[in-house]
Amino acid sequence: FARGGYGAGRLLTRILPKLTDAARDKAWLGYSDAGFILAALMGAGFPHLAHGPMVSDINREGGEAAIRRALAWLVDRDKSALEPNVAAGEQAAAFNLTVLTHLIGTPWQPDLAGRVLMIEDVDEHMYRIDRALWQVLSAPGMDQIAGLRLGRISQVPENDPDFVLDEVATVQHRCEEAGKAYLGRADIGHDAGNKVVTLTDSKS
């Protein structure tokens, strides 16, 4: 994907019926709102999908490294491009938390049974992160995840009154409430350091 954008969800019913076997053979890589399309392609059984850098990341500080990482996975399926826990063999899936929240209850809600869920977000108040985690971890089907890893929650706006809990404490609390394992951090986020997490890939 070239970039994300809130309109991605609007495209699903328009583009999915038009995708052919040629599209199925391609590798698809992106994050942020591209997660809407990645989730839908997961449900359609596309075999080469991953959460990771996009073309627009070249504009970030350190963006050249992000593009090299993306190409390393797209061209060679180079495991050095993978998030370390995925590279070690962990079955995972990664999504922007806000995007995943909006997928809940739709025909495109991804089946994450048996996978470690990795989440990241940007520019969201901490109370919204807390609320989104409650919805995701309470949703039917999400009780089948193997655990949760926390990527970077960046550019969090200040809130009045202070939410008190930081992102780690918030995620730990929600995992405990939901009876799911908190497994630590993940090296993903809305930044040039964003590592690749394979959603499906028959070559990896």
Side-chain angles (χ1 to χ4, degrees):
F1 292 90
R3 56 163 294 165
Y6 74 89
R10 295 182 174 215
L11 298 176
L12 296 181
T13 56
R14 298 185 181 189
I15 66 172
L16 288 178
K18 299 180 180 179
L19 296 180
T20 66
D21 287 342
R24 187 175 294 272
D25 289 340
K26 293 179 180 179
W28 299 71
L29 178 66
Y31 68 104
S32 191
D33 283 70
F36 284 113
I37 298 175
L38 289 170
L41 297 181
M42 283 181 72
F46 277 51
H48 312 298
L49 308 174
H51 174 285
M54 296 183 289
V55 176
S56 60
D57 287 325
I58 192 66
N59 296 316
R60 298 185 185 275
E61 182 178 355
E64 289 186 8
I67 298 304
R68 285 195 296 269
R69 189 181 313 117
L71 291 173
W73 181 78
L74 285 168
V75 177
D76 298 322
R77 299 299 195 272
D78 186 343
K79 291 191 175 183
S80 70
L82 296 176
E83 198 280 338
N85 296 287
V86 177
E90 188 169 273
Q91 291 296 308
F95 285 93
N96 172 269
L97 177 60
T98 299
V99 168
L100 181 58
T101 303
H102 289 296
L103 283 163
I104 296 296
T106 73
W108 305 285
Q109 177 179 331
D111 179 4
L112 304 181
R115 293 173 178 263
V116 172
L117 172 60
M118 300 182 178
I119 58 168
E120 49 82 15
D121 220 319
V122 62
D123 200 25
E124 295 286 351
H125 288 84
M126 194 53 60
Y127 76 86
R128 293 191 178 191
I129 298 296
D130 179 67
R131 186 166 59 192
L133 282 165
W134 171 79
Q135 181 174 357
V136 166
L137 293 176
S138 301
M142 296 303 293
D143 59 338
Q144 299 300 311
I145 65 170
L148 188 143
R149 287 190 180 276
L150 173 62
R152 288 178 284 282
I153 306 294
S154 56
Q155 300 177 36
V156 178
E158 291 186 12
N159 195 70
D160 185 16
D162 183 18
F163 187 70
V164 180
L165 300 181
D166 63 13
E167 67 269 27
V168 174
T170 298
V171 171
Q172 289 175 328
H173 170 71
R174 284 301 173 193
C175 284
E176 183 178 0
E177 289 278 306
K180 304 310 299 183
Y182 172 66
L183 300 174
R185 302 306 298 259
D187 196 3
I188 61 171
H190 269 66
D191 51 48
N194 189 24
K195 301 300 190 299
V196 174
V197 177
T198 51
L199 307 178
T200 58
D201 191 359
S202 59
K203 291 177 62 176
S204 67

